[in-house]
Amino acid sequence: MKLYDSIVIGGGPAGMTAALYLLRSGVSVAWCEKLSPGGQMLMTEEIENYPGFPKGLKGYELVDLFAAHLDGWSFDKYTDEVAEIIPGNGVHRVRVGDEWVEGKTLIICSGARYKRLGLPNEERLTGKGISYCALCDGNFFRGQEVGVVGGGNSALEESLYLSKLVKKLHLIHRRDDFRAMKCYQDKVCIKPDIEVVRSTVVTEIHGENALDGVTLRNLKTGEEHFLKLDGLFVFIGFEPVTGFFPDQLGVDAQGFIITDVEMATNVPGIFAAGDVRSKLCRQVTTAVGDGATAANSAFLYLEQLDA
């Protein structure tokens, strides 16, 4: 069983930054990422708020720049899914696919995924009209009528992207006011092909082999009506990727990992960074900061072990 100074779990901006900082510190690193590096950046059409790029850039372009920064460094990469972590005294075991590896420190950067509505037919019609990624699936609905559920940054960003492709977009939000940044609200409100539907929730999803439409309920009046749609995009928040967490790892009520300001968890030698961490702001910039902090903390922890 191979032993590393640090095992980084996750290939988003937090994981790539953590790996870079650890490698520059001269420690041995294993990087576990079952998919292509980039995380949710790969599902983002345009990133406008990353410092140093005042004109913005495509999500995949920023991913390529991050990945290029790791070129030339020597580390082991595991491309299977992390299935289990067994914490130990000074050494932690990680099962990646069918293989076990060990790390003196772990940095968990497994990120978060979009929440589901939790309605009947949702899972069955996912990929058949229901989607959680506008960049991935928007082109399938070119010239058609779609709905977007949500009121945060992701919902409005994705609506603006989809509005360039579809004939009509219904932005369905359960509150009167959006939680998204004002710059996105201003853009949405002047788009003639976006209809904002406030104080409304989706109560039913209809369709056999493909989405036919949804039933909407107005939360103020209680009235319901059917809205015919070709596609429905859901952006109602995130839930952490947690399937491999050890039982003793401290998490909040939503399952996100609790850390201190130095990214340390309640388990010595295990750190967390990025969207999987319990915090209020989840952006590429905060993920990068988390990753750098976690790597620095892991390095200091390794020095204490050696001492």
Side-chain angles (χ1 to χ4, degrees):
M1 190 182 304
K2 197 163 184 180
L3 174 64
Y4 299 90
D5 291 320
S6 191
I7 299 174
V8 178
I9 300 170
M16 285 192 279
T17 303
L20 176 65
Y21 272 65
L22 288 166
L23 291 166
R24 289 173 60 88
S25 299
V27 303
S28 60
V29 175
W31 185 24
C32 306
E33 171 53 59
K34 65 176 180 176
L35 301 173
S36 299
Q40 291 192 37
M41 285 195 294
L42 287 174
M43 297 188 291
T44 304
E45 162 67 6
E46 195 82 24
I47 296 177
E48 299 179 328
N49 56 359
Y50 194 80
F53 299 93
K55 295 182 179 179
L57 73 171
K58 303 294 185 184
Y60 71 86
E61 292 176 329
L62 189 55
V63 171
D64 289 345
L65 291 171
F66 274 48
H69 215 144
L70 288 167
D71 288 347
W73 294 100
S74 178
F75 59 94
D76 290 342
K77 185 174 181 182
Y78 294 84
T79 56
D80 213 330
E81 184 172 9
V82 173
E84 186 178 359
I85 292 175
I86 301 179
N89 185 16
V91 174
H92 308 289
R93 300 178 67 197
V94 178
R95 180 161 64 88
V96 189
D98 296 324
E99 185 175 359
W100 286 94
V101 292
E102 291 182 328
K104 297 177 184 178
T105 61
L106 306 181
I107 301 180
I108 301 174
C109 311
S110 52
R113 57 187 163 225
Y114 286 111
K115 285 183 179 178
R116 272 46 175 170
L117 292 168
L119 294 173
N121 296 330
E122 183 176 8
E123 292 298 325
R124 184 172 59 80
L125 292 176
T126 295
K128 300 177 181 178
I130 296 179
S131 174
Y132 308 88
C133 177
L135 184 61
C136 310
D137 300 327
N139 200 52
F140 296 121
F141 301 94
R142 189 176 290 274
Q144 300 182 53
E145 192 159 343
V146 304
V148 170
V149 183
N153 287 335
S154 294
L156 271 65
E157 282 183 272
E158 303 285 18
S159 293
L160 290 168
Y161 169 71
L162 285 167
S163 68
K164 302 173 186 176
L165 305 173
V166 302
K167 178 177 66 176
K168 178 71 177 289
L169 186 146
H170 304 265
L171 179 54
I172 304 159
H173 184 39
R174 61 192 176 98
R175 296 188 176 96
D176 278 343
D177 299 320
F178 289 112
R179 293 175 288 110
M181 290 187 291
K182 191 174 185 301
C183 61
Y184 296 131
Q185 295 186 45
D186 292 343
K187 291 179 182 179
V188 162
C189 290
I190 63 172
K191 294 284 288 186
D193 45 5
I194 296 180
E195 178 184 344
V196 178
V197 186
R198 302 177 191 270
S199 300
T200 299
V201 295
V202 177
T203 58
E204 289 186 66
I205 297 171
H206 304 277
E208 290 298 324
N209 299 316
L211 179 72
D212 290 332
V214 297
T215 297
L216 301 180
R217 176 189 298 148
N218 186 293
L219 295 177
K220 291 183 175 179
T221 67
E223 294 180 359
E224 292 191 341
H225 72 276
F226 174 79
L227 177 65
K228 184 170 178 55
L229 293 174
D230 301 298
L232 182 69
F233 292 81
V234 180
F235 306 108
I236 56 171
F238 297 92
E239 58 187 10
V241 179
T242 63
F244 58 89
F245 288 2
D247 291 339
Q248 55 266 59
L249 189 66
V251 298
D252 66 15
Q254 287 73 46
F256 291 93
I257 300 174
I258 298 171
T259 72
D260 62 16
V261 294
E262 301 301 332
M263 308 300 135
T265 72
N266 64 311
V267 181
I270 299 183
F271 306 85
D275 286 358
V276 75
R277 192 169 74 85
S278 180
K279 58 180 184 175
L280 293 177
C281 184
R282 292 184 170 87
Q283 296 285 304
V284 177
T285 47
T286 61
V288 167
D290 284 0
T293 303
N296 183 67
S297 297
F299 179 73
L300 294 176
Y301 180 86
L302 288 168
E303 286 191 321
Q304 292 172 0
L305 286 180
D306 292 340

